[in-house]
Amino acid sequence: MTEKTFPLSKEQLEELALRYPTPFYLYDEGGIRKNAGEINRAFGAFPGFIEHFAVKALPNPFILKILAGEGFGADCSSHTELLLAEMAGIRGEKIMFTSNETPAGEYRAARDLGAVINLDDFTHIDYLERHAGIPDLISCRYNPGPLKSGNAIIGKPEEAKYGFTREQILKAYPLLAEKGARRCGLHAMVASNELSLAYHVETARMLFELAVEIKEKTGVRIEFANLGGGVGIPYRPEDRGVDYRELARGIEDAYRKIVVPAGLSPLGIRIEWGRAVTGPCGWLVTRAIHRKSIYREYIGLDASMADLMRPALYGAYHHITVAGKENAPPTETFDVVGSLCENNDKFAVQRRLPKIDMGDFVIIHDAGAHGRAMGFNYNGKLRCGELLLQSGGTIVQIRRPETAGDYFSTLDKTTLDNFKR
Ligand SMILES: *Cc1c(COP(=O)(O)O)cnc(C)c1O
């Protein structure tokens, strides 16, 4: 069981909404720091441990600064994400550049920042050499194919577009060494939002065994294993989160059994967690603005899937509470919906909830990762802003809501006015 809480009372929300009208995202700095501390305590003893926070999960430089303060690096997948990391003062090897189908300019940007480039394909060895040069330190992403099962979000590894096959990766390292690479990392990310501890330990074991095989077959010594992201969070109250210490113990056990006897220790351990770090520490705060009774009962919110797309995209569950009615019995069944002209714009389908009055604050939980980040402007919807509840208790706006001006800013007004047809 995981208790679903929200850090502000209904009265505090009423006051906050006078300054910042709903909808908005609220992130809890204290919660993020506590979580980061637990990750550091669980994994900090591994050699060269770095958690590269997956920037895509919560691409806000204020949050990245908080995480950098906890010693975290960044995992970036595009030029803009590299800029975000740089804005937060994260540089050099603290950045993993794990991208795919990468344009040449993005490889150059990663090289200029000294980021660790994590290649996604064998052909990118040549491509990188031509466009940016082979750096001293380089990493490759492994796709185990049918050797490992996947899950609903990423899919089966053999159907996933990412990474090198086993054969390719065994050829890649000697080739990279020949082209001048002197230090090599190995990476895999094979599942997303996976709550099974055994699954993640198994991924570590798979990478450790591959590192040993690479050394035996090619003579190339792998310097670090990056286990990727994908650690799940308990979206449903009945879910149980991953115990970091237990996970670290499982990985340590595999390390002792595989890495140490092969003479590969110290092998650095890196991770790229996004969701697990900030997911539970963010909420989408909305208000109920309409109730509609047709064949089903609907609650219409002032937010839409343009603010939070996971339920529509993956059928993902996000827990919903109503401020001030946390302990009220769930007496009604609603589809909780947004205003897009898209019938899958539903935050919840046939959800049991307390009676909802118009104007009530409807809180959507576990929206701190892959939430606003996935927002979009379809239907001319403007994405909402982001607030940070700081450790001291004060609330600051860390991104304002979009305006119509932002939406039109990519159009050239003069050209438009002169465009007579
Ligand atoms: C998305 C992603 C992550 C982060 O995944 P989470 O599920 O948020 O932990 C890390 N690494 C790569 C390569 C990714 O694509």
Side-chain angles (χ1 to χ4, degrees):
M1 283 295 288
T2 305
E3 203 193 343
K4 294 291 170 192
T5 59
F6 180 72
L8 304 178
S9 68
K10 184 181 180 194
E11 291 67 35
Q12 286 173 311
L13 265 182
E14 288 291 2
E15 206 187 306
L16 185 63
L18 296 176
R19 264 186 300 154
Y20 304 111
T22 57
F24 54 77
Y25 273 86
L26 180 77
Y27 307 116
D28 173 20
E29 178 180 4
I32 292 173
R33 285 195 188 276
K34 181 163 172 279
N35 206 0
E38 279 167 16
I39 292 169
N40 282 330
R41 273 190 296 283
F43 295 93
F46 283 113
F49 175 71
I50 302 179
E51 144 66 351
H52 300 269
F53 177 71
V55 171
K56 73 169 188 234
L58 181 38
N60 187 306
F62 288 81
I63 303 292
L64 298 181
K65 275 192 176 182
I66 291 172
L67 294 173
E70 297 291 329
F72 285 13
D75 166 40
C76 303
S77 62
S78 67
H79 186 205
T80 314
E81 288 186 357
L82 286 169
L83 295 175
L84 281 163
E86 196 182 14
M87 246 180 235
I90 304 172
R91 294 219 162 68
E93 282 187 31
K94 278 272 176 111
I95 304 177
M96 278 300 287
F97 187 60
T98 301
S99 56
N100 64 94
E101 311 314 329
T102 315
E106 300 203 351
Y107 272 139
R108 282 192 290 269
R111 176 204 60 197
D112 292 347
L113 273 178
V116 182
I117 292 175
N118 188 24
L119 295 173
D120 188 67
D121 187 53
F122 192 83
T123 63
H124 286 224
I125 297 172
D126 253 7
Y127 187 84
L128 180 67
E129 186 179 36
R130 271 188 288 126
H131 295 286
I134 301 293
D136 232 36
L137 171 60
I138 187 106
S139 176
C140 296
R141 179 172 185 165
Y142 173 51
N143 180 333
L147 297 178
K148 188 132 169 81
S149 64
N151 73 1
I153 295 183
I154 285 206
K156 293 184 193 164
E158 73 262 42
E159 292 171 9
K161 66 174 177 170
Y162 310 109
F164 294 61
T165 67
R166 195 173 195 85
E167 269 184 7
Q168 288 172 336
I169 213 160
L170 287 166
K171 288 196 188 118
Y173 289 106
L175 181 60
L176 284 163
E178 193 187 303
K179 290 180 184 294
R182 280 196 298 246
R183 301 166 56 204
C184 295
L186 172 64
H187 169 279
M189 161 137 181
V190 279
S192 183
N193 192 30
E194 181 56 62
L195 283 170
S196 156
L197 190 137
Y199 189 93
H200 295 291
V201 172
E202 184 48 42
T203 301
R205 187 173 300 132
M206 171 188 84
L207 282 180
F208 294 165
E209 281 170 354
L210 182 56
V212 173
E213 189 180 341
I214 290 166
K215 180 166 171 256
E216 283 169 356
K217 293 201 172 144
T218 72
V220 172
R221 186 199 163 98
I222 297 295
E223 173 180 312
F224 69 79
N226 183 334
L227 315 179
V231 168
I233 59 171
Y235 283 104
R236 293 172 185 271
E238 64 268 27
D239 288 342
R240 262 192 51 219
V242 173
D243 182 323
Y244 301 160
R245 282 174 187 276
E246 212 180 314
L247 175 56
R249 273 196 295 274
I251 295 170
E252 196 195 327
D253 183 56
Y255 187 99
R256 254 188 293 108
K257 288 186 177 135
I258 302 165
V259 177
V260 176
L264 268 185
S265 190
L267 174 71
I269 301 295
R270 300 184 179 211
I271 56 175
E272 291 173 347
W273 295 6
R275 186 188 319 271
V277 178
T278 56
C281 308
W283 299 263
L284 174 57
V285 179
T286 74
R287 279 196 204 255
I289 56 171
H290 295 290
R291 174 171 182 154
K292 172 166 179 160
S293 306
I294 48 170
Y295 308 103
R296 285 183 179 182
E297 295 298 310
Y298 292 91
I299 293 294
L301 302 182
D302 56 6
S304 75
M305 70 179 275
D307 298 299
L308 176 68
M309 155 149 98
R310 298 191 70 258
L313 187 62
Y314 310 122
Y317 179 95
H318 278 264
H319 197 66
I320 291 179
T321 55
V322 183
K325 297 181 180 173
E326 290 80 3
N327 299 314
T331 51
E332 304 201 46
T333 302
F334 296 116
D335 279 15
V336 180
V337 304
S339 54
L340 284 200
C341 306
E342 266 296 334
N343 194 44
N344 60 353
D345 184 9
K346 297 186 176 185
F347 293 106
V349 175
Q350 296 295 283
R351 182 78 57 89
R352 297 288 290 165
L353 288 166
K355 175 171 179 294
I356 294 177
D357 296 296
M358 295 306 94
D360 274 356
F361 290 104
V362 175
I363 317 283
I364 303 175
H365 292 248
D366 301 304
H370 311 290
R372 192 191 178 287
M374 278 190 181
F376 54 95
N377 289 124
Y378 186 56
N379 262 189
K381 288 293 169 187
L382 304 172
R383 280 166 289 188
C384 68
E386 298 177 297
L387 306 179
L388 177 69
L389 171 61
Q390 292 176 284
S391 297
T394 53
I395 294 176
V396 286
Q397 181 168 265
I398 56 172
R399 190 193 301 271
R400 65 161 171 78
E402 287 179 339
T403 63
D406 295 329
Y407 185 93
F408 297 128
S409 65
T410 44
L411 299 172
D412 186 307
K413 186 75 171 44
T414 312
T415 313
L416 178 66
D417 289 344
N418 296 326
F419 191 69
K420 302 222 163 49
R421 283 292 184 278

